[in-house]
Amino acid sequence: MGVVEKIKEIEAEMAKTQKNKATEYHLGQLKAKLAKLRTELLEPTSKAGGEGAGFEVQKYGHGRVSLIGFPSVGKSTLLSTLTGTDSEAAAYEFTTLTCIPGVIHYNDAKIQLLDLPGIIEGASEGKGRGRQVIAVSKSSDLILMVLDASKHGIDRHKEILTHELEAVGLRLNRSKPQIYFKRKKSGGVSFNSTVPLTRLDE
């Protein structure tokens, strides 16, 4: 029985159990089990991760590009077409469950392309293993948003993806802030800015 099935079973048992003084301890035990299973679902333990089960892939080549998008928008197909890597693609959502790397050879450059599992709304808060997916994209040199033009509300999808990525500190289509830090020999930090600071107190 998988983690999702166990969660559903516990939720069904909690719904059937009457809430009173006699069942208070039992409901508390069920809630603890439910919390543990949900944590396991979002961040699997190292024991559960066998070969190829992890998200982090060693950097390779001259640059790294992450394919980010909702489930079933064509990320795996794009990776397979560009790199020749076999990435499973199917008609159902969440076909890709781990990070699948491929390499594009362009002139004399090797560009690593990462097919990441689809992210959903609330990924920055941990929904659907979103934190793990976004953590891999943070180590990339370029993030490529993949959107399905045939789906309704494509602008809304782009807004959601942008919001999820910016919620964890990724700056999309913006230059680095013009801030300079320098360690002092005597200890502490010297802070200089080249622009007026409107949201920082002295």
Side-chain angles (χ1 to χ4, degrees), residues 129-151:
R129 297 173 88 176
R131 283 189 183 150
Q132 291 171 306
V133 175
I134 293 172
V136 174
S137 64
K138 273 184 150 183
S139 67
S140 299
D141 300 305
L142 178 73
I143 295 175
L144 184 65
M145 273 190 206
V146 182
L147 301 167
D148 187 351
S150 65
K151 288 188 178 176

Side-chain angles (χ1 to χ4, degrees), residues 11-12 15 19 22 61 69 72 76 112 118-119 131 149 176 183 196-197 199:
E11 286 175 341
K19 291 179 183 171
S72 296
S76 297
Q112 186 179 43
I119 62 172
R131 283 189 183 150
K176 290 182 180 178
R183 282 183 190 256
L197 301 175
R199 297 183 185 178

Side-chain angles (χ1 to χ4, degrees), residues 65-70 73 75 78 119 142-148 154-155 157-166 170 172-173:
V65 179
S66 290
L67 300 176
I68 285 276
F70 282 96
V73 293
K75 297 183 297 296
L78 184 63
I119 62 172
L142 178 73
I143 295 175
L144 184 65
M145 273 190 206
V146 182
L147 301 167
D148 187 351
I154 191 168
D155 290 334
H157 289 182
K158 185 181 174 212
E159 283 175 24
I160 292 169
L161 288 173
T162 303
H163 171 74
E164 295 301 330
L165 294 171
E166 287 183 346
L170 285 167
L172 302 175
N173 298 326

Side-chain angles (χ1 to χ4, degrees), residues 31-166:
K31 284 180 183 177
K33 284 182 186 176
L34 189 62
K36 186 177 178 184
L37 287 171
R38 284 186 176 151
T39 303
E40 191 179 311
L41 184 66
L42 294 175
E43 295 178 17
T45 59
S46 57
K47 285 186 255 175
E51 190 178 319
F55 278 82
E56 190 54 51
V57 175
Q58 186 175 354
K59 272 194 169 187
Y60 175 80
H62 300 96
R64 182 184 238 189
V65 179
S66 290
L67 300 176
I68 285 276
F70 282 96
S72 296
V73 293
K75 297 183 297 296
S76 297
T77 306
L78 184 63
L79 178 85
S80 298
T81 305
L82 294 175
T83 66
T85 305
D86 185 34
S87 181
E88 187 182 348
Y92 55 89
E93 293 188 343
F94 296 107
T95 311
T96 306
L97 299 174
T98 61
C99 178
I100 299 170
V103 178
I104 300 171
H105 296 276
Y106 182 73
N107 293 336
D108 290 329
K110 293 175 186 167
I111 303 165
Q112 186 179 43
L113 194 63
L114 301 178
D115 178 17
L116 298 171
I119 62 172
I120 56 174
E121 195 165 1
S124 59
E125 294 149 18
K127 284 188 183 175
R129 297 173 88 176
R131 283 189 183 150
Q132 291 171 306
V133 175
I134 293 172
V136 174
S137 64
K138 273 184 150 183
S139 67
S140 299
D141 300 305
L142 178 73
I143 295 175
L144 184 65
M145 273 190 206
V146 182
L147 301 167
D148 187 351
S150 65
K151 288 188 178 176
H152 183 68
I154 191 168
D155 290 334
R156 175 80 177 116
H157 289 182
K158 185 181 174 212
E159 283 175 24
I160 292 169
L161 288 173
T162 303
H163 171 74
E164 295 301 330
L165 294 171
E166 287 183 346

